Each structure stands twice: as C-alpha cells, then as structure tokens.
Amino acid sequence: MCARSAEKGTAAIASIQKTHPSAHITLLPMDLMDLTSVVTAATHFLAHETALHGLVNNAGIMATPFAMTKDGHEAQWQTNYLAHWVLTDHLLPLLQQTATTLPPGSVRIVNVSSSGHWGAPQGGILFADLALTARRPWVRYGQSKLANILHAKTLHAAYGPGSRGARGGAGEIWVAAVHPGLVETNLAAGVGEVGAGVTGLFAVLRMLGLIRPADKGSWTSVFCAASREMTAEQSGTYVEIFGRCGEPRWQSGAARDGKLAERLEEWTGEEMRKEGWVR
C-alpha cells in the first residue's frame, strides 16, 4: 500500500488487518507531489517483489488552489496524472512478466478518473499551457482526470486484449479508467475558491443519501482490479458499474479522442524522459 503519510498509512493497514487478520500488507512511502519519491518507491518495490497482479492508481487531489510542485508541474496535473504515469511506466515490465505466466485478465491496471473530466478545457488537453495558470481549479482538475482516461486507453492499446504485445506473447494486461462517484472521503478538503459552496452542496447531497461511504466508493475499482466478472471487452473503457443518481456516466468527446490520447502519451513520454524520471 502506497501512502504519503506513514502515520495514516500504518493506521489504514491496522484497520484492514483488524477485519482481515491474515492480510499481509506492506507500507510503501510515496508522495505524488515529489517524483523522486515515486521513482524511489517503484525501485524499492521492484527490488523486493517478483510478481505484480494489479495496480490501482487511486490517489489524487481535487480543485486545489493553484500551485507548482518542486518538479515544475502544476500540482493537480502532477499528483493526479504525471506521478501515476511515472509509477506505471516503472512497474510495467513486472506487470508484463507476471502476465506471461497467467491467463488473460489475471493482471490489471485501474486508473481512477472522475466525471469531473467533463470540466477539462476546450480541446481536452491544453499543451500550450498545461499548468492552466489563468483557469479555475476545476478546469485544472478536469484536465488531469481526462488524462487518466486517455492514459488507460493508450495502455490498453499497447498491452490489452488484441494488442501487438498480447499477440506476441508479451503478456495481456487489462486496463480500465473508473468513475467512483460521489464518495465520502476527505478529497474535497483542499478545494479552493468555491470551497464553501462545495462543502454546502456535499452537505445537502449527504442528507439526501446520494453520497456513498468510502468502502462502497471503492467497488468499481475493486471490480476492475479483481472481479472474475470483468470481461476483456471492458478493458480500455471508462467504467461505472454501480450507478449514482444524477451523475454523468459517459465519456466526453475528448475522452474518446484516440489522436489526443496518442499525443498525450507522446508528450508525457518525451517530457518524463527529458526530466530523467523514466528511461
């Protein structure tokens, strides 16, 4: 289990083991706002493990005030997308290696996105100004969540059912982007500018019973990571298994844009290699 806070990570592990005493869980420190820590965590994992059956890229921040990370990227863009991309890239060889020894569908990657991807700027990804310096926090959040979906699509194209890698015996990996819905977590704690309004809205939705507890909010991610009911046809898609009242469960036009996904993957690979985070 990856966590930025050792204290909170340890507490989460203790809570899980209280319910499931036989669970063996190791804490892997990682701060998505610091790409050095992401690479360090991936390197540590690869040095100690010989197989990897699933990766859930879940952590994120939402509509936070504008800030740049020490690595020179806008905070939401790095936390929600770039750091997950770097982690996934480092772990892909082990995921592939594991997949070659098992039936299709045994190894999976889940990118947790959001219906908030509809808030991305016109055109989807603003390559000329990825920090979106003059835009509102929700637009920056939308762009990062859109990137999660596009990343899942490029991973599916490269490693999913019917891909060249899968046909060539390099291992088949199922990939999905998921919308967890309105979930009772502390994600909204850092919301900027319109924070009071969002807090009030959540209070009303909570009273109406439209916000799910955290365990139910994880259902779609768990389904895509481990369920035997998931099908090969669902790999590469945007999944919302458990419907929520009044929430969009479909992709925006930008999220369905294959050319945009290819351009984003090309930009990300070039930028992350140039900065030295991947080879």
Side-chain angles (χ1 to χ4, degrees):
M1 175 188 290
C2 299
R4 179 181 58 181
S5 166
E7 180 181 357
K8 292 181 179 179
T10 301
I13 291 174
S15 176
I16 294 171
Q17 291 177 328
K18 184 176 181 179
T19 306
H20 305 281
S22 62
H24 178 68
I25 309 171
T26 301
L27 180 65
L28 188 62
M30 184 192 311
D31 182 355
L32 300 180
M33 292 274 276
D34 180 358
L35 292 177
T36 297
S37 85
V38 175
V39 175
T40 298
T43 302
H44 178 85
F45 182 89
L46 293 172
H48 291 81
E49 302 294 339
T50 58
L52 178 57
H53 301 85
L55 172 63
V56 181
N57 291 315
N58 175 71
I61 54 178
M62 181 175 73
T64 52
F66 181 82
M68 299 294 288
T69 70
K70 60 187 293 185
D71 302 311
H73 302 285
E74 190 273 322
Q76 293 190 83
W77 181 244
Q78 176 168 320
T79 302
N80 297 349
Y81 170 62
L82 288 179
H84 288 143
W85 190 98
V86 169
L87 177 64
T88 302
D89 189 78
H90 278 272
L91 298 180
L92 268 170
L94 183 56
L95 287 161
Q96 284 185 278
Q97 178 184 310
T98 306
T100 60
T101 65
L102 298 167
S106 298
V107 176
R108 307 182 192 181
I109 299 172
V110 180
N111 282 355
V112 179
S113 181
S114 167
S115 59
H117 78 274
W118 279 86
Q122 185 175 4
I125 306 293
L126 195 61
F127 290 96
D129 179 22
L130 286 167
L132 298 173
T133 52
R135 302 298 185 95
R136 295 176 67 83
W138 286 105
V139 179
R140 293 192 288 272
Y141 177 71
Q143 178 176 256
S144 69
K145 292 288 99 180
L146 171 61
N148 293 147
I149 298 176
L150 298 177
H151 182 212
K153 290 184 181 298
T154 57
L155 287 170
H156 167 75
Y159 308 104
S163 65
R164 181 179 299 180
R167 294 196 308 270
E172 180 174 302
I173 302 173
W174 291 6
V175 189
V178 307
H179 167 48
L182 294 173
V183 184
E184 189 71 72
T185 69
N186 63 355
L187 182 63
V191 172
E193 292 186 19
V194 293
V198 171
T199 301
L201 175 61
F202 267 67
V204 172
L205 294 173
R206 190 176 296 110
M207 286 190 295
L208 295 174
L210 298 180
I211 296 183
R212 299 289 184 93
D215 59 339
K216 291 185 179 181
S218 69
W219 283 357
T220 308
S221 296
V222 172
F223 174 90
C224 291
S227 175
R228 295 180 180 178
E229 295 181 13
M230 184 179 177
T231 65
E233 289 73 24
Q234 288 174 301
S235 180
T237 64
Y238 175 68
V239 182
E240 221 299 25
I241 301 297
F242 303 97
R244 312 298 205 275
C245 178
E247 293 182 57
R249 296 186 292 275
W250 55 88
Q251 300 175 77
S252 66
R256 298 191 299 269
D257 189 335
K259 294 294 185 183
L260 181 61
E262 291 175 4
R263 184 181 178 190
L264 176 62
E265 181 69 13
E266 181 180 0
W267 177 89
T268 308
E270 289 181 357
E271 188 68 21
M272 294 300 96
R273 282 189 290 272
K274 182 174 68 176
E275 295 180 14
W277 305 120
V278 299
R279 295 180 179 178

